[in-house]
Amino acid sequence: MRRLRRSALPADTVELARYLIGKTLVHETSEGRTSGRIVETEAYIVGDAAGHAFRGQTARNRSLFLRRGHAYVYFIYGVSYLLNVSSEQAGVGAGVLLRALEPLQGIELMQQRRGTLRLQDLARGPGRLTIAMGVGIGDDGADLCSRGPLWLGTPARATGEVGVSVRIGITKEADRLLRFFERDNRYVSGTLRLNRIR
DNA sequence: AGTGCGATTGACT
DNA sequence: GTCAATCGCACTA
């Protein structure tokens, strides 16, 4: 498993969201290494009313405006941290939300962090994903394509068919088909109906 | 300074 | 299946 170069990342938000399915997310901390296959993403594109960059750059969302391949981490509902990958050129605000992982390495550590043994629940859902991976607000702005502790890696195995659906949990722009997932993967979140869609 | 609400989760019927 | 918890942020005044 090797680090993905920035030049390998598609320079378009939707293409990147699809591209990241099957790739790996790795985090190395003092507790150990955790990694997982990315099995579900959502694109938050330029001009998207549901995107955090829609009203321009602020202190909170500035990482979304970094060139592609940087982490944007934010706190939501007073409960969860969510991880995005910035997706456009510097100064343009857009990103890809990582919604679910299939655990690969450090499963015991993930179980400890999540307080459950169920593999299927370790990183199914964007808030659970960050807990399992030990990702927090301190990782906001991290470059995922440099030699840092948090990085994107090449696929651990072949990627299955990629499905498309509407995004989950939003009210604005709710009918856009900007959610991507590996079909028939049990670590994907969402309802059966959503995940049947091609 | 006050207010409304959100890219969720876990508990509960 | 439904629903409350919880708090930082952005917007209004």
Side-chain angles (χ1 to χ4, degrees):
Chain A
M1 204 157 52
R2 302 154 61 125
R3 291 175 189 256
L4 295 178
R5 295 165 181 267
R6 197 181 325 274
S7 59
L9 305 182
D12 172 84
T13 304
V14 177
E15 284 178 36
L16 179 64
R18 182 183 281 270
Y19 171 85
L20 287 177
I21 300 297
K23 305 301 185 294
T24 312
L25 179 69
V26 184
H27 196 195
E28 288 148 356
T29 71
S30 55
E31 299 177 297
R33 165 192 277 218
T34 50
S35 68
R37 295 181 70 237
I38 298 169
V39 295
E40 182 183 346
T41 64
E42 282 178 358
Y44 286 86
I45 62 182
V46 174
D48 186 347
H52 287 188
F54 185 62
R55 293 170 201 281
Q57 189 172 337
T58 66
R60 177 210 200 189
N61 69 16
R62 68 191 137 76
S63 300
L64 271 184
F65 293 79
L66 299 172
R67 67 181 170 150
R68 71 188 190 275
H70 287 79
Y72 165 50
V73 179
Y74 68 93
F75 188 54
I76 186 72
Y77 292 123
V79 202
S80 307
Y81 291 95
L82 272 56
L83 170 64
N84 296 248
V85 180
S86 68
S87 55
E88 298 281 338
Q89 57 187 339
V92 177
V96 174
L97 172 67
L98 303 186
R99 288 194 56 92
L101 298 181
E102 173 183 332
L104 290 176
Q105 298 173 291
I107 288 175
E108 202 172 295
L109 178 52
M110 291 190 193
Q111 289 171 324
Q112 217 172 295
R113 286 169 172 162
R114 285 274 299 117
T116 179
L117 295 176
R118 290 202 67 196
L119 290 188
Q120 195 170 322
D121 290 341
L122 291 182
R124 185 168 52 90
R128 294 166 172 174
L129 181 156
T130 57
I131 294 173
M133 292 295 289
V135 168
I137 201 67
D139 298 295
D140 183 43
D143 186 351
L144 305 175
C145 298
S146 71
R147 302 172 205 244
L150 183 62
W151 48 278
L152 294 167
T154 51
R157 57 177 159 85
T159 304
E161 193 183 343
V162 177
V164 182
S165 83
V166 294
R167 295 175 291 185
I168 293 176
I170 58 171
T171 54
K172 301 168 192 156
E173 309 275 7
D175 48 356
R176 291 197 188 204
L177 298 174
L178 293 174
R179 172 175 174 266
F180 299 91
F181 56 94
E182 185 176 51
R183 289 193 69 188
D184 304 319
N185 186 298
R186 51 198 248 107
Y187 299 95
V188 168
S189 81
T191 64
L192 188 59
R193 192 181 66 79
L194 267 188
N195 295 330
R196 251 195 245 279
I197 304 173
R198 131 181 168 84

